[in-house]
Amino acid sequence: ELAQQLPLPHSVSSSLDKASIMRLTISYLRMRKLLTSDEPVAEEETELDIQLNSSYLKALDGFLIVLSEDGDIIYLSENVNKCLGLAQFDLTGHSVFDFTHPCDQEELREMLIHRTGSKKTKESNTERSFFLRMKCTLTSRGRTVNVKSATWKVLHCSGHVRVYDPHTEQTTNGLKEPPVPYLVLICDPVPHPSNIEVPLDTKTFLSRHTMDMKFTYCDERITELMGYDPEDLLNRSVYEYYHALDSDHLTKTHHNLFVKGQVSTGQYRMLAKRGGFV
Amino acid sequence: MSARNASAGGGDRAGDGEPADDLLLEVNQSSSVSLSSLMSPSSAASMSLSMEMPRKRKGSIDNQDSKSASIPDADMEDDENGSDGEERDVKMKCIREPHSQIEKRRRDKMNTLIDKLSAMIPTCNPMSRKLDKLTVLRMAVQHLKSLKGSASAFSDANYKPSFLPNEELKHLVLKAADGFLFVVGCDRGKIVFVSESVTKILNYSRAELIGQSLFDYIHPKDMGKVKEQLSASELYPRERLIDAKTGLQVQAYLPVGGARLCSGARRSFFCRMKYNKVSVKVEENEFQASSSKKKESQKYCTVHCTGYMRSWPTSQLEADGEGEADKQDSAHFSCLVAVGRIHSHSSPQVNGEVKVKSTEFITRYAMDGKFTFVDQRATTILGYLPQELLGTSCYEYFHQDDLPHLADRHRKVLRSKEKIDTNCYKFKTKCGSFVTLQSQWFSFVNPWTKEVEYIVSTNTVISQASRSGNKSEQSSHSKTSDDGKKSLPIIPGISATPGSMIYAGSIGTQIANELLDFNRMNSSPSSGNVSPFSLPQDKSPQTHNQISNNVPNGEAADMEIAGKSSSEDEPQGAAFSGEETLMGEHSQMDLDSVVGPGLSNFSNDEAAMAVIMSLLESDTNLGEAVDFEDMRWSL
């Protein structure tokens, strides 16, 4: 009976077992709670607006995930199965640590911590951006396999820690609930060069490196972008071309690459042939 | 079926007085077998029904308090059935343990879930007593119903229920990232739609943007890129694919023409978009032309756009009042629906001041100042490879002016257990120039032998801005050079015989020797209160050092006398100094033979050092000062 009450498609709700129903109900209620604290939408929405609301999810490459402070998945968007092969409702309510690589769990725990700023009104940084390995049951052919034989997929997770502050609500016994922080993340898969469904434009070039970042191959598109011939670059470490101020960030990214397997850098500056930075 | 056999066996055993658990196991199994047929549409309703049945059956058996609430799960069935086939006796007992544990776990899990649920439901909360599960569930159902009822959006006929309605999804997305949705037409780049959140990000209002060409708001250099992404034409017919196995690029001539523009094709790119600076004084800007206004506020931020292609029936767009002649021609208007996100973390942190970690490196010295370890970072700073420095005394590289100070510090650090800071001093690099360093020295004492094992030095490169340290060096230098011998550094405690220069390696070793002698003297009980090594006095060290100062140019007689006097001076350290003088003689002779008179002619002190080093290497702590008259510091 409870399952019928959940706003789920009937096909799904009829195949849930008890524990799952409980899980989903709890998550649903949590989500409602978190979202109702928002400011109401001031402007009225046009029709187009309403229509396009549905395209948010489709437009995103990755999926959305909302985590509680101790790592429970409160909400997971549907397109997780496109990305990871796992089903939305299988995961909701479970702890995210069940699905992430053990070595990344420490990092994830740190991300979940929300330190409220001290009284000196120091705004704590709510942004989070990190790489996480999650279980992926998609094979290269697009089929799904069992969770037990899942591989790891590297996701670039970026988002914010938001705090749900129930100070506006009045519970019946007058007790104020403590503010609940939660983490909202968009997890993008890091594109693998062999699997690019998005066409690369002329401003993108491909290059291959040895483990210490020496060029072994470079696309010729680099010529018009930076002036180098690919042969110029061969066997030279790409660190020679990084801007000094970015080298810190890039070194960390390089480390991350070895740990996680895939990584994407932020913006950085690279030396062009005739001087100046690109 | 094995389960039935098991139950039969269980039934037999019941009469033997087996604990009820065993029976329960059987009952569970049998009931679970029957349940499996019911489980196929395992909705909650059927579950609750089936729950009744085992309850009733169990009710007829004693001792089932512990198991009354257990719900056989589908998983457990498999476990039980599978394991039943084996030897029942042993297995039954084995299963009992984990089985009960599994049961317990499941119950606990359910209980916690029920608790959580009750915490969620507002009506449950104020209840003082703990509600039983069924009530909690009922209240949950009611609550959900009420929530459903309040949200009107659900009543849409086309409503496909999803866990979260789209609107709230949008909010979530906005919470996760600073993003906005935009729809642009592919042929001209006209912005068809932009979401509300764009004002927060780009600081343009919605009305400003809708209808404009996207290219007005994109950095000029990115225009080509965005055009490509939007375009349908095949400029690059050869898709570059990477063969996953070999990692090589494969040129594939794919019929990509249609694929690029078909609905659903994805796009992902980065571009720079203009954003409006917040103008505080609007009045001033009124008189300016709009173009110049844009010039002023031409700041760009990097937006990561991900989206997909979609074709819109034009009729819909016309309804918005933006119909154009072009659009009416084509039946479908293809456009890109994308979410643009700002990744502020990915842009380089520009704090105004560059946070450069101060270049520092760590070195370790033996007691006498010889390098025993050099951090690899030293190479970028000093130019020497670690192996070039190892074994050489640090005093070779210190600038002349800094020697007194550093020697003093050296002495200090050997005696104290705390970190000693030096002032800024100059260190000679490989190319001959000097780099200003400031070090922190710390001596590490072996806790068992109570000897100084080594000195750890953390050296920081000081930029030229700090001059104060150098000045103090200057003043001290000028003081000590009163004796007229300007070219000779005077190091307190190490006196130089007239005409001799302090040899670099010797300084360190002498200092080390002092300490050793000191220790030896202190360690031997009959040493009395001889403490000649108090810093200000430095008398006997001086004499000691004088003794150690060998003059190779034929003052062997002195040497011997010196050796004797040294032995007189420090009876306890006699053996030690005896060795030393012996070695001194030895080295002196060696020097004479090897170096000969040419020692003074060496303009390159390094070569001489190398020779002497090899001699010194044969002993550990003994110091021989080799006098060299014309030995100059190569500056």
Side-chain angles (χ1 to χ4, degrees):
Chain A
E1 200 184 297
L2 195 55
Q4 285 165 12
Q5 292 304 320
L6 286 174
L8 303 168
H10 188 68
S11 55
V12 178
S13 58
S14 55
S15 61
L16 293 174
D17 66 334
K18 262 197 123 221
S20 306
I21 294 174
M22 303 290 290
R23 255 194 304 132
L24 290 172
T25 318
I26 292 169
S27 303
Y28 180 71
L29 289 172
R30 268 171 132 170
M31 276 310 291
R32 294 241 67 89
K33 210 171 164 193
L34 295 175
L35 289 173
T36 49
S37 66
D38 289 346
E39 328 81 60
V41 176
E43 329 234 338
E44 73 280 2
E45 296 185 336
T46 63
E47 273 182 37
L48 199 54
D49 242 354
I50 296 175
Q51 273 190 351
L52 283 174
N53 279 344
S54 57
S55 27
Y56 269 93
L57 213 49
K58 195 171 173 196
L60 284 179
D61 260 347
F63 58 94
L64 199 68
I65 185 170
V66 180
L67 296 175
S68 77
E69 208 176 0
D70 43 356
D72 293 329
I73 301 178
I74 305 180
Y75 173 72
L76 195 60
S77 67
E78 289 96 52
N79 41 7
V80 68
N81 63 347
K82 230 191 344 165
C83 188
L84 292 182
L86 304 168
Q88 178 189 17
F89 300 115
D90 280 349
L91 258 54
T92 317
H94 279 133
S95 170
V96 73
F97 295 112
D98 293 338
F99 296 95
T100 53
H101 199 278
C103 300
D104 292 340
Q105 284 179 8
E106 188 58 45
E107 203 182 340
L108 186 56
R109 263 176 242 271
E110 274 178 48
M111 295 293 167
L112 289 170
I113 295 171
H114 172 69
R115 288 197 182 86
T116 52
S118 62
K119 284 172 190 160
K120 294 169 194 166
T121 65
K122 202 167 61 158
E123 193 63 39
S124 61
N125 189 16
T126 60
E127 265 207 57
R128 298 283 185 266
S129 165
F130 55 99
F131 290 91
L132 193 64
R133 277 168 289 182
M134 285 189 78
K135 284 192 187 157
C136 173
T137 55
L138 283 178
T139 61
S140 52
R141 298 225 183 120
R143 295 207 213 118
T144 57
V145 295
N146 200 345
V147 183
K148 285 178 193 153
S149 56
T151 55
W152 298 107
K153 186 159 183 175
V154 183
L155 297 172
H156 179 205
C157 304
S158 57
H160 288 264
V161 176
R162 303 284 179 199
V163 180
Y164 156 67
D165 200 359
H167 66 269
T168 49
E169 289 194 17
Q170 291 285 329
T171 57
T172 51
N173 46 8
L175 286 176
K176 257 192 8 173
E177 296 173 13
V180 174
Y182 58 98
L183 179 62
V184 189
L185 290 174
I186 295 180
C187 302
D188 293 316
V190 180
H192 195 276
S194 63
N195 177 28
I196 308 178
E197 46 172 75
V198 175
L200 299 177
D201 49 26
T202 47
K203 301 291 186 288
T204 312
F205 62 93
L206 224 53
S207 60
R208 265 192 313 163
H209 304 259
T210 62
M211 294 293 264
D212 55 355
M213 296 302 277
K214 290 208 177 101
F215 280 94
T216 56
Y217 164 77
C218 188
D219 211 345
E220 57 258 19
R221 282 182 272 201
I222 195 177
T223 316
E224 60 173 279
L225 289 174
M226 291 177 53
Y228 297 109
D229 289 324
E231 295 82 41
D232 291 345
L233 297 171
L234 288 183
N235 249 334
R236 301 184 68 164
S237 168
V238 76
Y239 278 95
E240 295 176 29
Y241 299 96
Y242 289 152
H243 194 276
L245 294 177
D246 295 328
S247 63
D248 202 20
H249 167 72
L250 287 163
T251 319
K252 280 193 210 141
T253 317
H254 198 184
H255 277 151
N256 251 347
L257 176 64
F258 290 127
V259 171
K260 315 242 168 131
Q262 267 189 305
V263 98
S264 68
T265 70
Q267 281 181 316
Y268 63 93
R269 287 159 282 191
M270 204 159 150
L271 191 62
K273 184 156 189 178
R274 290 184 198 85
F277 285 96
V278 170
Chain B
M1 283 299 290
S2 57
R4 250 179 260 131
N5 289 339
S7 55
D12 289 338
R13 272 193 233 107
D16 297 339
E18 288 266 327
D21 283 354
D22 213 6
L23 282 173
L24 229 38
L25 199 73
E26 270 61 88
V27 169
N28 273 344
Q29 287 162 1
S30 54
S31 59
S32 62
V33 168
S34 56
L35 273 174
S36 58
S37 54
L38 291 168
M39 282 291 232
S40 34
S42 56
S43 58
S46 57
M47 283 291 280
S48 53
L49 275 178
S50 56
M51 265 166 68
E52 305 304 314
M53 278 166 40
R55 279 205 194 121
K56 281 180 193 158
R57 265 194 227 160
K58 285 170 199 169
S60 62
I61 300 175
D62 310 343
N63 239 3
Q64 33 142 344
D65 296 336
S66 57
K67 303 268 178 151
S68 58
S70 71
I71 302 134
D73 268 12
D75 297 338
M76 273 165 43
E77 285 174 39
D78 295 340
D79 290 343
E80 293 157 10
N81 289 339
S83 50
D84 274 356
E86 270 84 280
E87 322 134 39
R88 278 179 240 134
D89 289 5
V90 179
K91 269 288 180 174
M92 288 308 180
K93 285 176 190 167
C94 294
I95 296 168
R96 211 180 307 143
E97 272 310 307
H99 180 67
S100 59
Q101 275 183 9
I102 295 171
E103 284 286 326
K104 190 171 187 300
R105 253 187 282 139
R106 293 218 185 264
R107 264 182 295 119
D108 286 343
K109 197 170 144 192
M110 287 306 289
N111 286 341
T112 45
L113 287 176
I114 296 264
D115 286 341
K116 273 191 192 171
L117 193 57
S118 63
M120 287 284 131
I121 301 172
T123 46
C124 286
N125 255 339
M127 301 295 237
S128 50
R129 61 181 174 85
K130 202 174 164 191
L131 299 169
D132 73 307
K133 291 165 199 169
L134 222 47
T135 323
V136 171
L137 288 176
R138 279 203 212 105
M139 291 181 113
V141 171
Q142 279 176 4
H143 186 64
L144 282 178
K145 268 191 186 154
S146 64
L147 284 177
K148 244 189 183 176
S150 60
S152 54
F154 285 43
S155 55
D156 194 342
N158 296 334
Y159 173 64
K160 191 187 153 203
S162 62
F163 208 60
L164 274 190
N166 290 329
E167 201 174 300
E168 302 188 330
L169 207 56
K170 180 178 79 167
H171 285 305
L172 257 192
V173 170
L174 295 179
K175 280 190 174 186
D178 300 323
F180 58 95
L181 186 73
F182 64 97
V183 182
V184 292
C186 281
D187 47 357
R188 287 194 179 189
K190 190 164 128 171
I191 300 178
V192 171
F193 172 81
V194 108
S195 74
E196 212 21 72
S197 40
V198 72
T199 47
K200 262 191 289 177
I201 299 166
L202 294 183
N203 218 15
Y204 286 110
S205 77
R206 246 173 137 184
E208 273 183 71
L209 290 174
I210 294 187
Q212 304 293 323
S213 169
L214 179 67
F215 295 111
D216 291 342
Y217 291 92
I218 290 192
H219 196 280
K221 289 194 181 158
D222 289 341
M223 282 195 203
K225 185 180 182 180
V226 178
K227 269 189 195 149
E228 274 169 35
Q229 293 281 344
L230 290 178
S231 75
S233 65
E234 264 323 294
L235 299 172
Y236 300 95
R238 287 181 297 170
E239 280 289 322
R240 291 153 191 275
L241 300 175
I242 306 263
D243 190 357
K245 281 184 199 158
T246 60
L248 296 172
Q249 272 195 344
V250 171
Q251 306 273 359
Y253 290 84
L254 297 176
V256 198
R260 273 182 82 98
L261 196 54
C262 74
S263 190
R266 299 205 61 91
R267 293 281 186 270
S268 170
F269 56 94
F270 290 83
C271 68
R272 279 167 290 185
M273 290 202 183
K274 243 184 248 184
Y275 69 94
N276 217 346
K277 267 197 301 200
V278 179
S279 53
V280 181
K281 291 178 187 169
V282 187
E283 308 87 51
E284 289 179 13
N285 294 337
E286 275 178 6
F287 296 107
Q288 294 174 4
S290 57
S291 56
S292 59
K293 199 184 202 177
K294 272 184 189 171
K295 265 189 203 163
E296 280 180 353
S297 58
Q298 256 171 19
K299 283 201 152 201
Y300 295 96
C301 56
T302 310
V303 180
H304 179 201
C305 309
T306 52
Y308 65 101
M309 310 294 287
R310 187 179 165 166
S311 64
W312 289 75
T314 47
S315 54
Q316 242 180 0
L317 291 167
E318 277 175 311
D320 276 29
E322 294 178 356
E324 279 184 8
D326 311 317
K327 277 202 231 122
Q328 283 172 2
D329 292 343
S330 56
H332 286 278
F333 178 57
S334 58
C335 51
L336 173 70
V337 181
V339 170
R341 279 191 280 159
I342 308 257
H343 291 293
S344 48
H345 57 268
S346 61
S347 42
Q349 306 276 344
V350 182
N351 292 338
E353 81 254 6
V354 176
K355 247 194 275 178
V356 180
K357 219 170 80 173
S358 54
T359 26
E360 57 179 41
F361 58 97
I362 294 186
T363 52
R364 274 211 296 266
Y365 304 119
M367 229 168 71
D368 59 357
K370 290 198 190 136
F371 287 99
T372 57
F373 166 76
V374 177
D375 194 355
Q376 56 185 347
R377 289 174 288 182
T379 314
T380 54
I381 297 168
L382 301 176
Y384 295 106
L385 288 172
Q387 42 269 44
E388 292 175 29
L389 293 172
L390 289 180
T392 61
S393 170
C394 60
Y395 285 96
E396 298 169 32
Y397 305 94
F398 295 155
H399 193 272
Q400 193 174 338
D401 301 339
D402 301 319
L403 285 177
H405 168 72
L406 288 166
D408 168 64
R409 287 281 186 266
H410 185 185
R411 214 173 265 121
K412 227 174 167 182
V413 78
L414 288 174
R415 283 163 184 68
S416 85
K417 290 213 173 119
E418 28 180 70
K419 292 195 180 173
I420 307 268
D421 280 329
T422 70
N423 288 344
C424 301
Y425 61 94
K426 293 211 182 67
F427 198 101
K428 189 163 63 132
T429 63
K430 184 152 189 173
C431 49
S433 62
F434 282 86
V435 63
T436 316
L437 297 178
Q438 193 257 331
S439 303
Q440 195 183 54
W441 287 349
F442 166 66
S443 67
F444 175 72
V445 178
N446 189 324
W448 290 281
T449 65
K450 300 276 187 252
E451 280 175 5
V452 177
E453 287 246 330
Y454 49 82
I455 302 167
V456 183
S457 164
T458 312
N459 313 297
T460 320
V461 178
I462 305 288
S463 60
Q464 293 308 307
S466 57
R467 278 273 174 211
S468 53
N470 290 342
K471 280 189 189 146
S472 62
E473 292 295 324
Q474 297 286 341
S475 55
S476 63
H477 174 68
S478 53
K479 248 195 298 178
T480 52
S481 60
D482 281 347
D483 56 3
K485 296 192 173 48
K486 278 187 187 164
S487 57
L488 304 173
I490 306 295
I491 298 170
I494 300 174
S495 70
T497 55
S500 66
M501 278 187 66
I502 301 300
Y503 178 56
S506 70
I507 300 170
T509 49
Q510 283 165 19
I511 294 178
N513 295 338
E514 292 165 16
L515 180 69
L516 282 171
D517 295 340
F518 177 55
N519 287 344
R520 281 205 167 73
M521 284 176 60
N522 281 348
S523 60
S524 51
S526 56
S527 67
N529 294 332
V530 182
S531 55
F533 295 99
S534 55
L535 284 168
Q537 292 166 9
D538 276 342
K539 270 201 184 148
S540 49
Q542 282 193 7
T543 55
H544 174 80
N545 291 333
Q546 269 176 342
I547 288 156
S548 328
N549 272 339
N550 295 329
V551 180
N553 293 333
E555 289 186 42
D558 269 357
M559 193 56 208
E560 280 158 33
I561 295 167
K564 281 180 202 157
S565 55
S566 76
S567 56
E568 284 167 13
D569 230 0
E570 298 149 6
Q572 286 80 8
F576 168 76
S577 40
E579 281 173 38
E580 182 191 322
T581 49
L582 273 173
M583 282 308 294
E585 285 174 15
H586 175 69
S587 65
Q588 187 209 344
M589 289 192 297
D590 277 356
L591 263 178
D592 279 347
S593 56
V594 171
V595 179
L599 188 56
S600 54
N601 296 336
F602 272 107
S603 54
N604 188 359
D605 55 342
E606 280 181 41
M609 277 182 209
V611 170
I612 292 154
M613 278 306 145
S614 60
L615 296 171
L616 290 173
E617 267 167 31
S618 55
D619 44 83
T620 51
N621 290 321
L622 306 179
E624 295 75 38
V626 176
D627 191 20
F628 45 94
E629 292 174 355
D630 298 341
M631 198 63 80
R632 289 178 296 279
W633 296 103
S634 66
L635 294 168

